mmCIF file with all atom_site columns, all heavy atoms in Angstrom:
data_model
loop_
_atom_site.group_PDB
_atom_site.id
_atom_site.type_symbol
_atom_site.label_atom_id
_atom_site.label_alt_id
_atom_site.label_comp_id
_atom_site.label_asym_id
_atom_site.label_entity_id
_atom_site.label_seq_id
_atom_site.pdbx_PDB_ins_code
_atom_site.Cartn_x
_atom_site.Cartn_y
_atom_site.Cartn_z
_atom_site.occupancy
_atom_site.B_iso_or_equiv
_atom_site.pdbx_formal_charge
_atom_site.auth_seq_id
_atom_site.auth_comp_id
_atom_site.auth_asym_id
_atom_site.auth_atom_id
_atom_site.pdbx_PDB_model_num
ATOM 1  N N   . SER X 1 174 ? -6.593 25.122 14.638 1.00 96.00 ? 174 SER X N   1
ATOM 2  C CA  . SER X 1 174 ? -5.448 24.614 13.871 1.00 96.00 ? 174 SER X CA  1
ATOM 3  C C   . SER X 1 174 ? -4.123 24.688 14.633 1.00 96.00 ? 174 SER X C   1
ATOM 4  O O   . SER X 1 174 ? -3.070 24.470 14.044 1.00 96.00 ? 174 SER X O   1
ATOM 5  C CB  . SER X 1 174 ? -5.339 25.363 12.546 1.00 96.00 ? 174 SER X CB  1
ATOM 6  O OG  . SER X 1 174 ? -5.226 26.749 12.773 1.00 96.00 ? 174 SER X OG  1
ATOM 7  N N   . THR X 1 175 ? -4.169 24.946 15.946 1.00 97.00 ? 175 THR X N   1
ATOM 8  C CA  . THR X 1 175 ? -2.902 24.930 16.689 1.00 97.00 ? 175 THR X CA  1
ATOM 9  C C   . THR X 1 175 ? -2.996 24.191 18.017 1.00 97.00 ? 175 THR X C   1
ATOM 10 O O   . THR X 1 175 ? -1.977 23.893 18.640 1.00 97.00 ? 175 THR X O   1
ATOM 11 C CB  . THR X 1 175 ? -2.360 26.372 16.881 1.00 97.00 ? 175 THR X CB  1
ATOM 12 O OG1 . THR X 1 175 ? -1.025 26.299 17.371 1.00 97.00 ? 175 THR X OG1 1
ATOM 13 C CG2 . THR X 1 175 ? -3.209 27.158 17.849 1.00 97.00 ? 175 THR X CG2 1
ATOM 14 N N   . ILE X 1 176 ? -4.227 23.830 18.402 1.00 98.00 ? 176 ILE X N   1
ATOM 15 C CA  . ILE X 1 176 ? -4.394 23.117 19.676 1.00 98.00 ? 176 ILE X CA  1
ATOM 16 C C   . ILE X 1 176 ? -3.543 21.838 19.672 1.00 98.00 ? 176 ILE X C   1
ATOM 17 O O   . ILE X 1 176 ? -3.410 21.188 18.639 1.00 98.00 ? 176 ILE X O   1
ATOM 18 C CB  . ILE X 1 176 ? -5.898 22.804 19.930 1.00 98.00 ? 176 ILE X CB  1
ATOM 19 C CG1 . ILE X 1 176 ? -6.125 22.439 21.386 1.00 98.00 ? 176 ILE X CG1 1
ATOM 20 C CG2 . ILE X 1 176 ? -6.444 21.739 18.969 1.00 98.00 ? 176 ILE X CG2 1
ATOM 21 C CD1 . ILE X 1 176 ? -7.572 22.553 21.832 1.00 98.00 ? 176 ILE X CD1 1
ATOM 22 N N   . LEU X 1 177 ? -2.917 21.557 20.776 1.00 97.00 ? 177 LEU X N   1
ATOM 23 C CA  . LEU X 1 177 ? -2.079 20.364 20.984 1.00 97.00 ? 177 LEU X CA  1
ATOM 24 C C   . LEU X 1 177 ? -0.742 20.410 20.245 1.00 97.00 ? 177 LEU X C   1
ATOM 25 O O   . LEU X 1 177 ? 0.027  19.458 20.298 1.00 97.00 ? 177 LEU X O   1
ATOM 26 C CB  . LEU X 1 177 ? -2.823 19.065 20.614 1.00 97.00 ? 177 LEU X CB  1
ATOM 27 C CG  . LEU X 1 177 ? -4.131 18.782 21.374 1.00 97.00 ? 177 LEU X CG  1
ATOM 28 C CD1 . LEU X 1 177 ? -4.853 17.576 20.768 1.00 97.00 ? 177 LEU X CD1 1
ATOM 29 C CD2 . LEU X 1 177 ? -3.862 18.523 22.845 1.00 97.00 ? 177 LEU X CD2 1
ATOM 30 N N   . SER X 1 178 ? -0.455 21.524 19.552 1.00 97.00 ? 178 SER X N   1
ATOM 31 C CA  . SER X 1 178 ? 0.834  21.608 18.843 1.00 97.00 ? 178 SER X CA  1
ATOM 32 C C   . SER X 1 178 ? 1.941  22.117 19.761 1.00 97.00 ? 178 SER X C   1
ATOM 33 O O   . SER X 1 178 ? 3.119  22.048 19.428 1.00 97.00 ? 178 SER X O   1
ATOM 34 C CB  . SER X 1 178 ? 0.724  22.527 17.626 1.00 97.00 ? 178 SER X CB  1
ATOM 35 O OG  . SER X 1 178 ? 0.600  23.882 18.025 1.00 97.00 ? 178 SER X OG  1
ATOM 36 N N   . ARG X 1 179 ? 1.554  22.663 20.933 1.00 97.00 ? 179 ARG X N   1
ATOM 37 C CA  . ARG X 1 179 ? 2.516  23.199 21.909 1.00 97.00 ? 179 ARG X CA  1
ATOM 38 C C   . ARG X 1 179 ? 1.757  23.434 23.212 1.00 97.00 ? 179 ARG X C   1
ATOM 39 O O   . ARG X 1 179 ? 0.524  23.543 23.213 1.00 97.00 ? 179 ARG X O   1
ATOM 40 C CB  . ARG X 1 179 ? 3.127  24.511 21.403 1.00 97.00 ? 179 ARG X CB  1
ATOM 41 C CG  . ARG X 1 179 ? 2.093  25.572 21.057 1.00 97.00 ? 179 ARG X CG  1
ATOM 42 C CD  . ARG X 1 179 ? 2.744  26.785 20.398 1.00 97.00 ? 179 ARG X CD  1
ATOM 43 N NE  . ARG X 1 179 ? 1.809  27.675 19.759 1.00 97.00 ? 179 ARG X NE  1
ATOM 44 C CZ  . ARG X 1 179 ? 1.230  28.725 20.333 1.00 97.00 ? 179 ARG X CZ  1
ATOM 45 N NH1 . ARG X 1 179 ? 1.461  29.006 21.599 1.00 97.00 ? 179 ARG X NH1 1
ATOM 46 N NH2 . ARG X 1 179 ? 0.399  29.486 19.662 1.00 97.00 ? 179 ARG X NH2 1
ATOM 47 N N   . PRO X 1 180 ? 2.476  23.539 24.332 1.00 98.00 ? 180 PRO X N   1
ATOM 48 C CA  . PRO X 1 180 ? 1.762  23.804 25.592 1.00 98.00 ? 180 PRO X CA  1
ATOM 49 C C   . PRO X 1 180 ? 1.178  25.219 25.577 1.00 98.00 ? 180 PRO X C   1
ATOM 50 O O   . PRO X 1 180 ? 1.788  26.134 25.019 1.00 98.00 ? 180 PRO X O   1
ATOM 51 C CB  . PRO X 1 180 ? 2.877  23.714 26.656 1.00 98.00 ? 180 PRO X CB  1
ATOM 52 C CG  . PRO X 1 180 ? 4.033  23.064 25.985 1.00 98.00 ? 180 PRO X CG  1
ATOM 53 C CD  . PRO X 1 180 ? 3.917  23.386 24.524 1.00 98.00 ? 180 PRO X CD  1
ATOM 54 N N   . ILE X 1 181 ? 0.014  25.389 26.143 1.00 98.00 ? 181 ILE X N   1
ATOM 55 C CA  . ILE X 1 181 ? -0.519 26.737 26.352 1.00 98.00 ? 181 ILE X CA  1
ATOM 56 C C   . ILE X 1 181 ? -1.019 26.838 27.803 1.00 98.00 ? 181 ILE X C   1
ATOM 57 O O   . ILE X 1 181 ? -1.250 25.821 28.442 1.00 98.00 ? 181 ILE X O   1
ATOM 58 C CB  . ILE X 1 181 ? -1.659 27.106 25.372 1.00 98.00 ? 181 ILE X CB  1
ATOM 59 C CG1 . ILE X 1 181 ? -2.808 26.112 25.520 1.00 98.00 ? 181 ILE X CG1 1
ATOM 60 C CG2 . ILE X 1 181 ? -1.227 27.184 23.944 1.00 98.00 ? 181 ILE X CG2 1
ATOM 61 C CD1 . ILE X 1 181 ? -4.102 26.839 25.585 1.00 98.00 ? 181 ILE X CD1 1
ATOM 62 N N   . ASP X 1 182 ? -1.175 28.077 28.275 1.00 98.00 ? 182 ASP X N   1
ATOM 63 C CA  . ASP X 1 182 ? -1.639 28.290 29.642 1.00 98.00 ? 182 ASP X CA  1
ATOM 64 C C   . ASP X 1 182 ? -3.159 28.471 29.622 1.00 98.00 ? 182 ASP X C   1
ATOM 65 O O   . ASP X 1 182 ? -3.672 29.563 29.376 1.00 98.00 ? 182 ASP X O   1
ATOM 66 C CB  . ASP X 1 182 ? -0.935 29.543 30.207 1.00 98.00 ? 182 ASP X CB  1
ATOM 67 C CG  . ASP X 1 182 ? -1.337 29.821 31.646 1.00 98.00 ? 182 ASP X CG  1
ATOM 68 O OD1 . ASP X 1 182 ? -2.225 29.109 32.174 1.00 98.00 ? 182 ASP X OD1 1
ATOM 69 O OD2 . ASP X 1 182 ? -0.763 30.747 32.244 1.00 98.00 ? 182 ASP X OD2 1
#
Side-chain angles (χ1 to χ4, degrees):
S174 57
T175 191
I176 196 161
L177 301 172
S178 71
R179 56 187 166 92
I181 59 134
D182 181 355

